[in-house]
Amino acid sequence: MQTEKIIRPPSGYLTLGIFIVLLAAGIYLMAIRQFGWGAAVLLVDFILVLPGLIIVNPNESKVLTLFGKYVGTVKSDGFFWVNPLTTKKKLSLRARNLNGQQLKVNDKMGNPIEIGAVVVWQVQETAKASFSVEDYIQYVSIQSEAAVRHLANSFAYDNLEDEDAGITLKDGAEKVNALLEEELNERLSRAGIEVIEARISHLAYAQEIASAMLQRQQATAVIAARKLIVEGAVGMVEMALERLSEKEIVSLDEERKAAMVSNLLVVLCGDRNAQPVVNAGTLYN
């Protein structure tokens, strides 16, 4: 695997001055009919001097190769002169966004889900990006999709089916994003790519089971709410019986207590307003 070698070539302004001088000399020699010397000077000027001038913009680099051998990378921005016989490949060092497409995959429990991610990345080592992979941009896209698929297969969407799950795709956003970023850095290190940030941008059940899962979530919420209501109602009934006994307002046998508990639970746990009934007799008639 190629290791990056950063070089700083000489300034191009001096070489530009030499180019202008040689250009003027060649034109002068041609003007005084020294065609052979004039052509030779101009040939040297345009073949050996001018092609070596390069401009490197901020957050860009030039990867240099000479007859198939890696020479080095120019990362400093400015105007330089390099060996004119080298091949110069421009490589951007700017941060880029990869807005991954929505993938349809199965989560850990086998439920079909839709998931997508946004990845912010940049080239860190130009030699690896240029020589270790065929096309580093396509490599980032394919490996990012593979990492998102692997992440979705490793965790459940939520804890409805896997109650012991420590991390779920829905509730463990920060941990899931951290794991995705770690896996992407591991996968893309071969291409000299650094992942700055990776986040899940879309997460939902697939359309064919979305309505069924929504009903299931609603039922779970209703059961949880009912459980809380019953626990509160039992506490209130217990408190009412204790207060009646302490104040000695009325003496209740076990059968009357059972009737009172039943009535209170109906009133407190019912989802409709209670309708009072006037009992003109007694509990036994």
Side-chain angles (χ1 to χ4, degrees):
M1 189 175 294
Q2 195 69 249
T3 304
E4 183 180 66
K5 180 171 65 175
I6 300 176
I7 61 174
R8 186 176 178 85
S11 174
Y13 293 103
L14 177 60
T15 307
L16 180 61
I18 295 174
F19 169 77
I20 295 174
V21 171
L22 290 177
L23 179 62
I27 294 175
Y28 173 75
L29 290 173
M30 297 291 286
I32 62 174
R33 298 182 181 277
Q34 296 290 330
F35 298 109
W37 286 104
V41 171
L42 292 176
L43 191 65
V44 170
D45 199 22
F46 281 95
I47 293 180
L48 298 181
V49 179
L50 183 62
L53 295 173
I54 61 171
I55 297 175
V56 181
N57 295 315
N59 279 331
E60 286 186 356
S61 64
K62 284 288 189 352
V63 180
L64 308 178
T65 55
L66 180 62
F67 302 131
K69 182 178 180 180
Y70 173 60
V71 176
T73 302
V74 182
K75 283 189 172 181
S76 302
D77 55 287
F79 187 43
F80 305 100
W81 184 83
V82 298
N83 188 333
L85 300 180
T86 56
T87 302
K88 310 161 192 69
K89 179 181 178 181
K90 183 175 74 172
L91 216 62
S92 175
L93 303 178
R94 297 183 177 94
R96 307 187 189 189
N97 282 321
L98 173 64
N99 188 10
Q101 61 179 347
Q102 296 180 11
L103 306 175
K104 186 176 179 181
V105 297
N106 293 332
D107 68 353
K108 183 180 178 181
M109 308 308 296
N111 298 317
I113 63 173
E114 295 178 352
I115 188 171
V118 173
V119 181
V120 182
W121 62 276
Q122 66 180 166
V123 175
Q124 188 70 20
E125 296 189 32
T126 56
K128 291 182 179 180
S130 299
F131 308 119
S132 296
V133 294
E134 184 68 27
D135 184 344
Y136 69 93
I137 297 179
Q138 184 182 23
Y139 185 81
V140 171
S141 177
I142 294 175
Q143 291 299 322
S144 298
E145 179 178 332
V148 172
R149 288 183 180 275
H150 179 259
L151 183 75
N153 296 147
S154 302
F155 300 102
Y157 180 88
D158 52 30
N159 55 7
L160 288 178
E161 295 184 13
D162 190 2
E163 296 181 356
D164 299 328
I167 302 176
T168 61
L169 296 174
K170 181 181 178 182
D171 300 326
E174 293 299 327
K175 293 182 179 179
V176 170
N177 292 334
L179 290 172
L180 177 60
E181 184 176 330
E182 181 180 351
E183 182 171 352
L184 282 173
N185 273 314
E186 182 179 352
R187 287 173 175 266
L188 300 179
S189 60
R190 173 179 290 274
I193 305 298
E194 178 189 12
V195 176
I196 302 173
E197 184 182 11
R199 289 188 174 275
I200 300 298
S201 60
H202 174 78
L203 181 64
Y205 281 113
Q207 292 183 356
E208 57 266 28
I209 67 167
S211 58
M213 286 301 179
L214 179 59
Q215 292 177 359
R216 181 175 181 177
Q217 291 174 353
Q218 291 173 344
T220 302
V222 170
I223 292 173
R226 288 291 182 184
K227 182 178 179 181
L228 184 62
I229 291 172
V230 170
E231 290 178 355
V234 171
M236 294 175 67
V237 169
E238 183 180 2
M239 182 181 65
L241 292 175
E242 290 178 355
R243 295 296 298 273
L244 287 173
S245 178
E246 291 175 1
K247 299 293 185 180
E248 297 181 354
I249 297 175
V250 64
S251 179
L252 301 174
D253 58 17
E254 294 301 323
E255 190 172 355
R256 287 188 173 87
K257 286 182 180 180
M260 179 180 176
V261 169
S262 175
N263 293 333
L264 285 175
L265 287 176
V266 170
V267 172
L268 295 173
C269 297
D271 57 354
R272 297 180 181 179
N273 294 330
Q275 300 294 328
V277 176
V278 178
N279 187 3
T282 66
L283 182 63
Y284 305 103
N285 292 321

